[in-house]
Amino acid sequence: MEAENACSLNFQRVKVRDPCSSVPYFLLKLLKAVHPSEILFIDTILCAGSPSQWARIGPARDISTDSSRQDCINLAKTWLTKCVETHSECLWKLNDSLLPTLTIEVGSCETEVRLHVAAGEKGEYAALSHCWGSSVGPSLTTTQDTLEDRKRSIEFDAASKSFQHAIEVTRDLGIKYLWIDALCIIQDSKEQWAQETEKMSRVYNNAVVTLYADSARDASQGLFPDPLDRESVNSVFQMPSQGPNGEPVMIRVRPRYQDPTSLDTIYHSAKPLTPSKLSVRGWALQESILSPRELHFAKEEMYWICSTHSRCECKLRPGQASPMTLGRLGARSTSDNEFRRHMYSEWPILVMDFTRRSLTLQSDRLPALAGLADWFAQHTKDSYLCGLWASDMRYGLTWFIKPSGQEEASTAWAPSLNRRMAEPYAPTWSWASVSGPITYYGPYMTQFGSRNPRYKSYDQYEIDICDAHNKETNTPILEITAGNVRPLTQNKYGPVSNAWLKVIGYVLPLQYNTIRNLWLPPTLPHFEHFDPRRLEVMYDVPTEVPDILAAAQVAGRFGLLFVGTRVERRGARAGDQAVCLLLEGPFDGAESLVFPAGVYRRRGLVTRAGWGVAWREKVMRGGLVLV
């Protein structure tokens, strides 16, 4: 049924009637005659500043094809000023901080740009997040040989547009200093590089704003997107119509691929939003999480994110703030316990996200998370051991590599590329010891209660790492009695030369039977529901499997270490399936001379290894060392 005052809109070959829509804007689905393979929306708007004739159709901004225009910069400056002056959840990050070791003094013109060496002074600065690409060569970096020249002046060329544009925006925002990794870290000094990568938490967390070169694949493409790209995804059509009282009104419509009324959509486009090269870069994860304010120059439009809300170039009203992550928990946690619970819930999610991103150098696997690790350590007072946390170590050990073909289609990483990192780098019990995406089961930890429900998007099961059958003592299934790491560089969150964990737990010897193609205990225990045919073995490195199976034919070389139970049916605790580490050992070496227990290396994660209660009743408990 149509209302009497329904307004008719014509869009190409599509005629749509909508009698007083009940949503903030008209959402009109285009017919397949216009976009056969896509479902689109029409955003119905008025010119910014025009009085609204309807309660549900309001004014909006045009998206400039040139984001370097002064009106765009003024808009960004307005967002920054409002955030600094009025956002209570963002004010806690705005402080008079120490400048990083090196920053770029932007000056008032190009001839005044130079590298500034901080001498303990405080000040405000911006930071740049960008993709290096192949264009960043010696001329665009600071080395020991060019440091003195950079202090006098910095000259840019066509290969450094992103740097030039970032300096211009910083200057227009009224900020004196800018931090760019390529220029503000001495790239050929391993000592200085290690020191500065450890400080990334302070660099980005203390920046007034971080600029994002989302539309650029490398430094030569600049901060500002191609005008043709902007125009192709932001078409606006003028349509004559009638107002509520019959008066002629010009309505403007623009096609949108996403629901334009959704507060979850931060920026908008007529085409599907595709991830930028920057957004899938490994180093960029900690940059976005630690930055209190983000100004993005995307090919679709310019947009803003802070702890209070998000803003985009095309909308007048703000959207929702970005999801709660490490850099924003400090303002929202009401107690220390809540804060720690959030921290330990977020870390595995961040690790899973990070390991699905790209790294030019796989040796950056730990350094690229050093800033997050440092921030976490400062706020929890916990010990960091090669990507895992001492207070969450038992659950941290339960990472695994999904078998080939089961990895998410969205990741650009091919499972066949998983490799063991060249030693020395990280111990085998750390996810950092292998390349490629890692996964965690959704956990349940008695000491923290139910973890973040966001885990359920990764797996339908949960992990219990405490002895639920011993409610009086709440004895952990696996006890970690000691541990130590020895950093390989001055970055204590980076690679290590040596690391070990001393544990006490249930250990079951295993041997591989080549005739039956099964992992079998030497004497099959009378486990309830322990069926070797149901064992699910997820090897850490697929290319190691032939060598593992060959070595496993010898008794005493392999075993299972019980670390937790996978709850397949909540409440049916007697049926909790054991989750174990597949270990190889013992080994001769320096470590075995220090500890009397056997020394073992991790080779994978095993699930469906029998009922947890049977492990407690049938398997001996002993001590061993993991390296």
Side-chain angles (χ1 to χ4, degrees), residues 4-223:
E4 294 182 359
N5 293 329
C7 55
S8 297
L9 302 177
N10 290 283
F11 181 79
Q12 296 185 14
R13 290 178 288 167
V14 183
K15 185 176 183 180
V16 187
R17 295 178 183 271
D18 191 319
C20 300
S21 174
S22 61
V23 294
Y25 296 99
F26 288 108
L27 301 181
L28 309 177
K29 190 190 302 182
L30 295 182
L31 298 180
K32 288 188 177 181
V34 180
H35 289 276
S37 62
E38 300 173 354
I39 296 178
L40 295 184
F41 298 92
I42 294 177
D43 192 7
T44 312
I45 58 176
L46 299 173
C47 294
S50 301
S52 178
Q53 302 287 332
W54 296 274
R56 301 298 183 182
I57 300 180
R61 279 186 293 262
D62 285 330
I63 297 176
S64 173
T65 57
D66 183 4
S67 55
S68 66
R69 284 175 40 176
Q70 193 58 45
D71 54 345
C72 290
I73 302 303
N74 289 341
L75 178 61
K77 193 170 185 178
T78 299
W79 292 340
L80 174 60
T81 302
K82 286 185 177 180
C83 177
V84 169
E85 294 180 352
T86 66
H87 292 176
S88 58
E89 289 193 6
C90 301
L91 288 175
W92 75 282
K93 290 180 177 297
L94 186 64
N95 50 59
D96 197 11
S97 304
L98 290 173
L99 289 173
T101 307
L102 296 175
T103 52
I104 300 168
E105 187 174 352
V106 301
S108 58
C109 61
E110 293 183 3
T111 59
E112 297 180 359
V113 178
R114 60 178 61 87
L115 206 60
H116 174 76
V117 181
E121 72 263 36
K122 297 180 179 181
E124 294 183 353
Y125 63 94
L128 175 67
S129 179
H130 69 104
C131 289
W132 282 51
S134 59
S135 65
V136 177
S139 63
L140 300 180
T141 59
T142 297
T143 64
Q144 297 177 80
D145 291 338
T146 61
L147 178 59
E148 294 304 318
D149 291 337
R150 298 274 190 261
K151 292 179 184 178
R152 289 187 287 270
S153 66
I154 301 177
E155 297 181 1
F156 298 102
D157 54 24
S160 57
K161 280 187 179 180
S162 294
F163 298 174
Q164 296 177 62
H165 293 170
I167 287 172
E168 293 170 10
V169 172
T170 301
R171 189 184 294 140
D172 290 338
L173 292 176
I175 301 172
K176 185 176 180 180
Y177 300 104
L178 172 66
W179 190 90
I180 302 177
D181 52 4
L183 291 170
C184 298
I185 298 177
I186 302 175
Q187 298 297 319
D188 62 348
S189 171
K190 292 183 179 181
E191 179 180 349
Q192 212 256 355
W193 191 87
Q195 291 175 344
E196 294 302 313
T197 52
E198 183 182 325
K199 299 176 183 177
M200 289 297 98
S201 65
R202 280 154 282 181
V203 169
Y204 284 98
N205 206 227
N206 292 332
V208 176
V209 63
T210 300
L211 312 176
Y212 288 79
D214 289 287
S215 63
R217 297 186 63 83
D218 57 47
S220 68
Q221 294 187 331
L223 200 64

Side-chain angles (χ1 to χ4, degrees), residues 446-461:
T446 305
Q447 65 266 46
F448 293 118
S450 295
R451 278 184 174 246
N452 196 313
R454 289 168 61 193
Y455 278 106
K456 294 180 180 178
S457 64
Y458 285 92
D459 197 272
Q460 60 180 322
Y461 300 109

